[in-house]
Structures are given as structure tokens and as C-alpha cells.
Amino acid sequence: MIRSIAGQTVHVNEEGFLTASEEWTREIAEEIAREEGIAELTPAHWKVIEWCRAHAVNGRSPTLRQITEGTGISTKEMFALFPKGPAKKVARIAGLGKPEGCV
Amino acid sequence: MKQLVILGAGTAGTMVANRLRRTLADDWRITLVDQSETHYYQPGFLFIPFGIYSQRDVVKPERDFVPPGVEFVVSPIELIEPERRRVRLSKDGRSLDYDFLVIATGTHIRPDQTPGLAEHEWRRSIFDFYTLEGAVALAKHLRIWKGGRLVVNVVDNPIKCPVAPLEFLMLADWFFRERGMRDRVELIYATPLSGAFTKPIAAKHLSNLLQEKEIQVVPDFMVERVDPDAKKLISYDEQEVAYDLLVSVPLNMGAEVIARSGLGDSLNYVAVDKHTFVSPKYPEIFALGDAAALPTSKAGSVAHFAVECFAENFVHYVEGLEMPHKFDGHANCFIESGFGKALLIDFNYDVEPLPGHYPLPGIGPLTLLKESEANHWGKLMFRWVYWHVLLKGRPLPLPALMSMAGKWQHN
Ligand SMILES: Cc1cc2nc3c(=O)[nH]c(=O)nc-3n(C[C@H](O)[C@H](O)[C@H](O)COP(=O)(O)OP(=O)(O)OC[C@H]3O[C@@H](n4cnc5c(N)ncnc54)[C@H](O)[C@@H]3O)c2cc1C
């Protein structure tokens, strides 16, 4: 599917995840974050987003466990930053696929 | 003499031993190691709490399945030393050298990883059904339980047999209705997923089914700790779910020996190529079954399809030839839904479970993603197939790679 986010045309799947991570921009991240109920992306959010983009494998975002171990941010903080399903939420905001832990 | 060592004599390890003993020449020594002399039919654990199966139905001596020409060693595995191509066993300080190693040590529940879970209320008001002891203890408890809030909680994914918690709930619905006490029981499913299942189309079908059976889903619930005295689950974002009876699927982790040997990821799973099961770091090490870090379900059916691919590939690989097959992540699971019915799902790395029919040569089509009695008989028949066909590595009339025949796809 194709949709427009932050004035850009991007490819997404039926769950709203970008399917081509190179189409992602910081503006897109901010708009998806608002859709996910996060009004503003703080430096703490960006740290996680950037770490996930750097550690994506085949376009898929890392799992929550990999994020907490890799960044040193606790699970509790992750839930405060990205409420409800943090790993899935970060994946969407970071323009990546759902983590592979979900099978 | 060439040496093949297989670690773990569960579903995958036993099948590998049988398959390869038939195809490898006599100048190969095959050694199979497990800490336990007993083989468990784990899918049968699901039926024990409801009195459908008993302990007798799910255990057999492993030796019944070890073919002549394979040495079976009963001992805990102490350490794998990949640089030395050697495995150290706990018993008698014995060690085994190998030319090739297959790791099939599975995955196991770790209630110790969640505070409050495995403490004084463990097996009193908190149970599991992923171990034989847990399932048997729960069966005893359910016989005398007076009713209340029964909560099934999955601590985190991945778990082996990701549909088992749903099956447990649907069987519980049936069980309490049969006993005339369903009105005194609330059934709740607290899951870290945002729905009933991981894949969208199956999740929709399954959540409709849960709704019909009045099973309530609490999604996005990631438990941090259990308060065993106040009888509640507390999540990382401070939501609470109260229970009278908690049936937990604790965190699943690969064997500790994987971590000790420096071969695992954060959950002790072994990284391998998803099409060939070869370790990217050690070309003589393979991991199969639940022990492998693969993006498909951890299930006996996956282990079975994987072993078929692997066994044919392996004889080429050791000759330095290219491996002819690429595993596609094929999984095929019956989902028991109570009242003598079940669903069937069939999927792989790329295709999610779809509705339609599953062509089963000789038996006829089974319905996919839809309840039927034939599926239920398929599930019960599977125990016989497991003991008599599967473990012995005999051919089953199922294709190892997934087929799209009979599946409906909307685009
Ligand atoms: C309740 C339940 C229901 C299930 N239902 C289904 C179903 O309907 N369909 C389906 O396809 N699958 C189902 N499964 C999953 C299925 O049982 C597993 O996926 C399958 O058994 C995996 O096989 P494996 O060989 O990888 O691991 P296992 O069969 O678990 O074998 C691992 C072996 O390694 C040994 N081991 C581990 N560590 C050590 C050590 N350090 N030293 C020595 N030995 C060691 C263990 O003793 C064990 O024998 C279910 C599982 C459960 C628990």
C-alpha cells in the first residue's frame, strides 16, 4: 500500500509499518509518533529509535529484550517512553518491520 | 571414523539420529546425549489438566526410539567447546570429540525469571502446564477448584507452541461447561501481544472464537511481577490483573549450557542460517528445533519439517556439495478448541496462516482456520503418529515445504 506521511509518499503494509526503511525521515517518525499517541519525541525516544535503526536485521526492528540489553534502558522506561507495546511502537516509528520475536 | 554428536534427544534430536543413521555410511559414529532417559510427548501436556490424558499417555523410555548403531549417553551436558570441537559431559568427566555437532537442546520454562511466580504459591494457586509435573499438579487442583477468576498469562514471546495458551483456555471453557460451573468461572487471557495471535488474519479468526466462548483478552500486558499474596499480576506499566487461579506460561529460554558455551543470544538460542541451520560462526555446528533462533514458531511440526530438510542436506554438505534444500519456516499446528473440535493452521516465514483446506494425502482435506471434528481427530491421532512414525524418522505423507494448494488468499 501507499500512503502519504509528513508530505512524503511511502510504502506501508496493512498494519501501517513502512516496508522500505530507506523512505523513512525524522519528520515521518514524528508524525507516526503522534498517531501512536506520543506528542513529542524527546532525546530519550531518539536514542531508542536510532539504536533500533542501526541494529535492524533485514529491515526488522530488534525485540524489546534486545533493545533493553543493547541500550541499557530498562523495560520499565521503555513502557514509559512508548506506552503499550514498546517494541512494536518503536518499530513503526523507526520505519522498520515488526520485530521477529513475534512468531 | 567420522563423529556426529547430537545434543538433546527430544523431538528434533531423536528424529535426526534415526534419519541420519539410515543415510550415513558405517564409518560414521553417531552419539546422542540427553540428561533424561524419558522421552516426553509435550503436546499431550495440554490435555492432562482436564483429565483427557494422564501421565502414562505422554512418557516413554527414550531407548525405544534410539536406533541400533547410535550410542545413547545419559548425562547432563556441561559445556560445548566449539574451538576444540569437543563437548564435555557432567557424568564421569567424559568428553566427546566431534566432526559435526547438532544442537537440539530445546527451550524450557523459567518461572525464576519473574518475581513472585515460583515462590510460596507455586503449584498452590499458580500453575504451569508446560512441564509434566505442572500439568499433573494442575489436574489435581482443577478437580477440586470451586471457581473464580482463572487467568492465563504469557510472560513473553517467543514461547514454544504459541497457540497452546489459547487451546488451554478453550478447553477450560469446555471443561467448566461440562461440569456445570461455567457461570462461576471467569476466563481471562493476559498476553503481551496486541491480540490473540501474532499473525493478523489468524488473530482475527481466533479472537472471534474467544469472544464466542466468553474468554476475555487483556492485550499488551507485559508482566513485571506477581504478587502471590494479593493474587495479582502487575505489568511494567503498572496495570494490574487479579486472579484466583493463575496458569502461567513463564519465560521460555534455551538451555543454560548454550549460554555457558557462548553460543546463545539473550534467550540462549543459537543463531543459525534460517534456510540451512548452519551456524554462521562454526560451519560444523547446526542447531535444530526449539534451540535454534529462527523466525518461525517453536513447535514439534517445525522441528519435523526442519529435520527432513536438514537430513537430506547434511549428506551433501559433508561431501562438500551444495545443499539441495532451503527450509521455508513451515509450521503446521492443530488448535484444540473444545467440544471435540479443533482448527488447523499452516504457515511459513513468508505466508501467514490463511483459511482454506489442507490437503492430507490418504486422509482427505482438513479445514484451515475453521473448527471441525476432523481436525480434533487429527490432533488426537497425532500422538500415535508421533510415537510410531515421527520419532523413528519414518516418512509422513506431509510435504516438508509448505504448499499453497487449498489456501485462500485475498489481494
Ligand atoms: C504444552 C505444550 C503443547 C505443545 N503442543 C504442540 C503441538 O500441538 N504441536 C506442535 O507441533 N508442538 C507442540 N509443542 C511444542 C513441541 O513439543 C516442541 O516444539 C518440540 O518438542 C521441540 O523439540 P526439540 O527437540 O527442539 O526440543 P525438546 O523436545 O524439548 O528436547 C530437548 C531435549 O534436550 C535435553 N536437554 C536440554 N538441555 C540439556 C542439557 N544441558 N544436558 C542434557 N540434555 C539437555 C532435554 O532433556 C530434552 O530432552 C507443545 C509444547 C508444549 C510444552
Side-chain angles (χ1 to χ4, degrees):
Chain A
M1 276 185 273
I2 281 178
R3 68 166 280 205
S4 157
I5 312 178
Q8 305 241 30
T9 305
V10 296
H11 293 80
V12 295
N13 68 13
E14 61 281 10
E15 292 180 278
F17 288 80
L18 262 62
T19 52
S21 69
E22 63 281 1
E23 291 176 348
W24 177 89
T25 63
R26 290 174 78 92
E27 292 69 39
I28 289 176
E30 280 162 359
E31 185 160 328
I32 297 178
R34 279 191 292 274
E35 285 174 16
E36 292 282 358
I38 300 167
E40 199 198 325
L41 291 176
T42 64
H45 289 104
W46 282 112
K47 181 175 164 195
V48 179
I49 294 166
E50 275 154 16
W51 190 88
C52 287
R53 282 193 63 88
H55 292 83
V57 178
N58 299 328
R60 280 178 174 275
S61 188
T63 62
L64 181 58
R65 191 168 292 271
Q66 287 162 345
I67 298 170
T68 54
E69 271 163 24
T71 59
I73 294 171
S74 72
T75 308
K76 217 158 179 97
E77 284 172 77
M78 282 294 293
F79 269 89
L81 290 169
F82 304 93
K84 300 283 178 192
K88 210 174 136 187
K89 224 163 241 194
V90 179
R92 241 200 103 201
I93 295 170
L96 300 166
K98 251 205 279 197
E100 279 194 334
C102 307
V103 281
Chain B
M1 266 315 213
K2 278 173 264 175
Q3 309 266 2
L4 169 66
V5 172
I6 304 165
L7 301 180
T11 311
T14 305
M15 287 191 292
V16 170
N18 279 286
R19 284 254 159 175
L20 288 184
R21 187 61 288 173
R22 248 177 274 145
T23 46
L24 291 176
D26 288 345
D27 61 339
W28 279 85
R29 258 180 95 99
I30 303 180
T31 312
L32 178 64
V33 188
D34 203 295
Q35 62 207 0
S36 165
E37 282 190 84
T38 305
H39 192 106
Y40 298 94
Y41 175 61
Q42 298 175 46
F45 295 175
L46 170 71
F47 296 107
I48 290 178
F50 308 105
I52 302 168
Y53 282 174
S54 68
Q55 179 153 348
R56 247 199 347 266
D57 298 314
V58 299
V59 296
K60 283 193 195 285
E62 172 64 19
R63 285 192 198 282
D64 292 0
F65 306 99
V66 180
V70 170
E71 188 195 0
F72 179 45
V73 180
V74 180
S75 165
I77 302 149
E78 188 67 35
L79 195 69
I80 303 162
E81 299 174 296
E83 305 295 346
R84 296 182 162 180
R85 299 196 187 181
R86 187 168 78 181
V87 176
R88 291 223 306 255
L89 306 184
S90 307
K91 210 166 91 190
D92 308 329
R94 189 174 165 189
S95 60
L96 301 168
D97 294 315
Y98 61 80
D99 297 296
F100 292 92
L101 182 71
V102 170
I103 300 175
T105 41
T107 183
H108 313 278
I109 60 159
R110 294 293 298 271
D112 58 300
Q113 300 286 313
T114 303
L117 203 52
E119 294 172 10
H120 51 284
E121 282 295 315
W122 183 243
R123 301 206 171 139
R124 296 168 75 94
S125 58
I126 305 175
F127 293 85
D128 81 279
F129 65 99
Y130 267 50
T131 57
L132 180 57
E133 307 77 60
V136 167
L138 183 52
K140 271 196 196 133
H141 191 74
L142 284 183
R143 278 208 294 272
I144 52 155
W145 194 51
K146 300 271 185 288
R149 275 171 73 87
L150 191 167
V151 175
V152 174
N153 173 240
V154 172
V155 169
D156 199 358
N157 288 296
I159 57 171
K160 58 180 147 185
C161 198
V163 293
L166 297 173
E167 298 182 276
F168 182 92
L169 282 157
M170 293 193 282
L171 283 172
D173 169 67
W174 162 80
F175 178 82
F176 293 122
R177 279 187 213 274
E178 292 284 294
R179 309 192 121 210
M181 57 184 285
R182 182 64 177 89
D183 55 337
R184 279 179 280 139
V185 176
E186 271 182 86
L187 292 175
I188 294 127
Y189 182 38
T191 167
L193 296 176
S194 21
F197 194 60
T198 49
K199 316 265 175 161
I201 296 177
K204 197 156 154 277
H205 281 261
L206 289 167
S207 67
N208 291 344
L209 202 56
L210 294 182
Q211 215 165 14
E212 275 168 36
K213 295 178 189 287
E214 298 171 71
I215 296 164
Q216 190 194 324
V217 180
V218 181
D220 297 316
F221 188 89
M222 185 82 140
V223 71
E224 180 184 17
R225 64 201 144 96
V226 178
D227 184 335
D229 298 314
K231 293 198 169 32
K232 57 189 186 189
L233 297 159
I234 300 138
S235 72
Y236 281 103
D237 50 356
E238 303 295 332
Q239 297 177 69
E240 292 185 356
V241 171
Y243 63 84
D244 296 303
L245 173 57
L246 174 61
V247 177
S248 171
V249 181
L251 186 67
N252 281 208
M253 288 178 80
E256 275 301 309
V257 62
I258 305 298
R260 278 200 299 276
S261 310
L263 289 168
D265 62 14
S266 55
L267 289 169
N268 306 346
Y269 298 127
V270 185
V272 287
D273 181 88
K274 70 177 188 177
H275 298 300
T276 61
F277 316 107
V278 190
S279 153
K281 202 161 160 208
Y282 303 102
E284 61 287 339
I285 296 183
F286 292 79
L288 286 165
D290 296 348
L294 295 177
T296 184
S297 289
K298 294 194 181 298
S301 66
V302 177
H304 164 230
F305 297 132
V307 168
E308 292 208 337
C309 276
F310 163 77
E312 290 188 17
N313 279 343
F314 188 71
V315 287
H316 290 80
Y317 186 73
V318 297
E319 297 294 330
L321 302 171
E322 202 181 314
M323 293 189 263
H325 303 290
K326 275 188 169 8
F327 185 59
D328 65 353
H330 188 187
N332 180 296
C333 308
F334 287 106
I335 308 177
E336 195 62 22
S337 56
F339 299 93
K341 290 185 181 171
L343 296 79
L344 179 65
I345 57 175
D346 193 58
F347 56 102
N348 69 15
Y349 290 142
D350 305 313
V351 180
E352 64 172 309
L354 295 168
H357 295 285
Y358 183 75
L360 185 59
I363 294 177
L366 297 171
T367 56
L368 290 169
L369 258 181
K370 187 166 171 290
E371 286 187 284
S372 78
E373 283 172 18
N375 288 339
H376 167 70
W377 292 114
K379 175 121 183 168
L380 292 187
M381 195 181 72
F382 198 73
R383 182 168 62 107
W384 188 91
V385 172
Y386 185 84
W387 293 127
H388 296 93
V389 184
L390 215 63
L391 281 184
K392 296 185 174 159
R394 299 207 175 109
L396 254 197
L398 302 176
L401 299 178
M402 197 178 106
S403 148
M404 283 306 285
K407 291 193 178 69
W408 305 329
Q409 215 168 9
H410 304 278
N411 247 330

